[in-house]
Amino acid sequence: MVDRSGQVQLQTGSSELLWGSWAHGDPEDVHSWPTWSPDGTRLASFRIAKDGSGSRVWVSDVTGVVGAEVGAMGSRVPIYLQWSREGDRLAVLSQDDRELVLQRADPIGSDPDTELLRGSPLFFSWLPQGRLAAFVGEGQPAKPRLTILSMHGPRRDLPGAPGNFCAPVPLPRGLAYVAHVNQSVVVLVSSLDGARVKHLEMVDGLVALLASPTGDRLARAISPDGTGSPYTQLEVIDIETALSVPVTDLPCIAFFWLPDGSGLIVAAKNDNSPAVTWYRVGLDGSQVELARLVPSRDMRVYLRFFEQYGPSHPVVDPTGQSLLLCGADPDDADAPSRVVLVPLDGRAPEEVGQGLFACFGPNPTPQILEP
């Protein structure tokens, strides 16, 4: 872990504990994607054995002194971890050949991990009371569904066939998602039991959605051809009235709400360069350029799936003061990836150190994956 001044805090555990491979030069295992618990007291991580014995999920307190295996994946490839809202469960995503697997793990290791879903694609979000919402393509050929999973009781599929695969968006009173309805692609808001469904708008293309911090608005952008080209038409939709307000037409590849809901952070690609330009964009359309970097490989994955990774690994400071980025200067793209703390008021960015990815914890203390 690294604090705002760039001070490195090495974990104190032995080489057999969770942090061993980060504090020693010749690790036996590889660790990836440390993920903060909601209360900031624990970290979950993938632990991948170099001897080929498989991948595991480990949980430790923040000192690294107490750590334990809480889930096993065998030969599956680990992809992503997310804590439940209550901090009493972990959702674990891994890849098994051509399928993705979603399992639930107990972070204190008292209950066995449970496989929940298999399919491709597979994206998910935690809901209150230990429930999960998941977009999943099941069967051959894959049939897309949006399903609600409970700790106890049967699963429930919500109306419509999901129209684009990204993490479903939890709201105070349900979920927002995109689905095919009567041969149209529609942005929907549904209650969790599927009894009340509201159509916000019809769309054409690949859609990205993020809920505002208060959950009463959606930031929505569209990639017209749906082939990985940047999103445009970034607008904010009022969920109650379904009225939308254009915000920017920057060619964005990702966007994130500011904690107070006053605007958005937008990652844009303006040319054929690998560099990404970051902007602070107000809801009135005003914009301030903050930084320009060539993203690290981990940052590229994060941006590709920003709707899934953003809620659990925030790159925007919860106090709304700064942004954490990882990458290289466009004029020296071959240089090692560095961690940059970017003030959101337009002041010059500050280098924190080297790293492939960084995010804020709930403290907020930046969390950095070392190269």
Side-chain angles (χ1 to χ4, degrees), residues 114-337:
T114 304
E115 184 175 309
L116 301 174
L117 289 172
R118 278 180 175 262
S120 182
L122 207 168
F123 297 90
F124 66 90
S125 296
W126 278 104
L127 302 171
Q129 302 173 352
R131 293 170 293 176
L132 283 158
F135 278 130
V136 59
E138 295 177 302
Q140 294 295 332
K143 183 177 180 180
R145 303 174 188 272
L146 176 59
T147 190
I148 306 296
L149 304 172
S150 300
M151 288 284 290
H152 307 287
R155 60 184 270 182
R156 181 188 299 274
D157 292 343
L158 295 188
N164 53 279
F165 286 93
C166 58
V169 180
L171 301 171
R173 297 182 179 179
L175 284 172
Y177 59 104
V178 181
H180 290 281
V181 179
N182 297 328
Q183 299 183 333
S184 298
V185 181
V186 184
V187 178
L188 299 175
V189 173
S190 173
S191 58
L192 296 183
D193 61 6
R196 298 178 302 280
V197 181
K198 182 176 184 177
H199 292 202
L200 290 185
E201 65 171 355
M202 289 194 298
V203 291
D204 185 15
L206 182 67
V207 180
L209 297 173
L210 279 183
S212 65
T214 53
D216 59 343
R217 294 167 292 169
L218 290 172
R220 185 271 291 144
I222 299 174
S223 175
D225 61 13
T227 61
S229 60
Y231 296 99
T232 57
Q233 305 173 54
L234 179 55
E235 301 184 2
V236 170
I237 305 173
D238 184 284
I239 293 173
E240 181 66 28
T241 65
L243 295 177
S244 61
V245 177
V247 175
T248 182
D249 208 31
L250 284 168
C252 61
I253 58 173
F255 51 90
F256 308 91
W257 280 94
L258 292 171
D260 63 0
S262 64
L264 297 147
I265 299 298
V266 174
K269 290 202 68 169
N270 297 305
D271 48 39
N272 293 325
S273 165
V276 171
T277 305
W278 293 79
Y279 298 88
R280 176 174 180 157
V281 178
L283 298 185
D284 60 358
S286 60
Q287 60 188 48
V288 176
E289 182 175 332
L290 299 172
R292 190 167 186 263
L293 289 173
V294 177
S296 67
R297 65 173 187 266
D298 294 72
M299 196 78 192
R300 289 196 298 271
V301 172
Y302 181 89
L303 294 175
R304 173 68 179 84
F305 301 107
F306 72 96
E307 305 105 312
Q308 178 75 83
Y309 286 109
S312 59
H313 293 77
V315 294
V316 180
D317 181 344
T319 68
Q321 299 178 31
S322 54
L323 173 70
L324 270 173
L325 303 177
C326 285
D329 190 293
D331 296 327
D332 190 12
D334 294 328
S337 175

